């Protein structure tokens, strides 16, 4: 059995989803890492001073880490900033609430020990776009939510019928059935979104930003409601921080 210090430490690239207090001076940092999926690790002493170490581990920061295996939680021993997205996001309330909902969703979708490469890339892409105001924040959020759910195995359809595959476009949407539904499959209580809303949803899922950025407020509002319903259907308790997101 190797027992050198090298075997007790490991490196990871990750993004900070959430932090909370531990004891007098420490914090627990919830990270989504590229290599290890979700990791909860201790940052020791970061609340004693305004240490550089601590500020690198604020929510939404992308970091290069060295960790040491601990008995319960691993301990962060080194941290370098890769993308300081937290500053740009914290400067804008709409970006901040969108990022908070993204972080909560990512934490729910990635269980400890699962490899997180694709989910990590989606979160980093969304935080980077929010920090640079690349697109309206609510569109970055809804695009993230659709793509994260699709990556988790729940890809919605916004064209062909999600139940029988009949070619679209269709005029009804059912979250339980997986998106667009044809007249024959349409269950009672299905939504009837506008065609502009269906087009926007499809664009958000595929990352077609020319269409998404050109959408109007009505389609964005309707799309946001359907994305939230779809998310709620798959995540049992829903995502609490969604209700704080500013909508046009
Ligand atoms: Zn059908």
């Amino acid at each position: 059995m190797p027992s050198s210090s090298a075997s007790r430490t490991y490196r990871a690239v990750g993004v900070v989803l959430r932090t909370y207090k531990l004891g007098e001076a420490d914090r627990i940092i919830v990270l989504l890492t590229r290599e290890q999926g979700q990791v909860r690790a201790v940052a020791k002493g970061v609340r004693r001073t305004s240490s550089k170490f601590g500020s690198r581990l604020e929510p939404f920061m992308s970091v290069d880490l060295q960790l040491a295996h601990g008995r319960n939680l691993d301990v962060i021993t080194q941290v370098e900033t890769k993308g300081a997205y937290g500053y740009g996001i914290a400067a804008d309330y709409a970006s901040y609430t969108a990022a908070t909902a993204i972080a909560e969703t990512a934490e729910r979708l990635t269980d400890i020990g699962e490899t997180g490469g694709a989910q990590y890339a989606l979160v980093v892409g969304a935080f980077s776009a929010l920090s640079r105001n690349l697109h309206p924040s609510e569109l970055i959020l809804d695009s993230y939510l659709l793509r994260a759910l699709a990556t988790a195995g729940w890809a919605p359809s916004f064209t062909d019928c999600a139940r029988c595959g009949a070619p679209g476009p269709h005029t009804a949407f059912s979250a339980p059935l997986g998106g667009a539904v044809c007249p024959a499959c349409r269950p009672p209580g299905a939504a009837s979104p506008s065609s502009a809303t269906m087009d926007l949803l499809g664009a958000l899922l595929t990352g077609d930003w020319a269409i998404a950025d050109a959408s109007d407020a009505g389609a964005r509002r309707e799309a946001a409601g359907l994305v939230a319903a779809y998310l709620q259907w798959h995540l049992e308790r829903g995502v609490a921080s969604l209700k704080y997101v500013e909508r046009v």
Side-chain angles (χ1 to χ4, degrees), residues 49-65:
T49 57
S50 56
S51 67
K52 271 187 180 170
F53 191 77
S55 65
R56 290 172 189 157
L57 293 167
E58 292 292 325
F60 323 132
M61 294 298 203
S62 168
V63 288
D64 209 322
L65 298 155

Side-chain angles (χ1 to χ4, degrees), residues 136-139 141-142 145 173 191-194 196-198 200-201 204 212 214-230 242 245-248:
S137 56
E138 79 267 30
L139 294 185
L141 168 63
D142 288 336
L145 294 174
F173 178 96
S192 306
S194 70
T197 297
M198 286 292 218
L200 172 57
L201 287 165
L204 292 172
S215 60
D216 65 27
R220 289 180 190 183
R221 204 161 29 235
E222 192 170 43
L226 297 177
V227 172
Y230 192 71
L242 262 191
V245 173
E246 289 196 326
R247 301 287 184 180
V248 286

Side-chain angles (χ1 to χ4, degrees), residues 32-54:
L32 181 57
T33 70
R34 193 175 59 192
E35 296 83 0
Q36 320 257 332
Q38 192 181 122
V39 169
R40 275 158 204 263
V42 179
K44 287 192 185 289
V46 289
R47 281 164 54 222
R48 273 210 186 92
T49 57
S50 56
S51 67
K52 271 187 180 170
F53 191 77

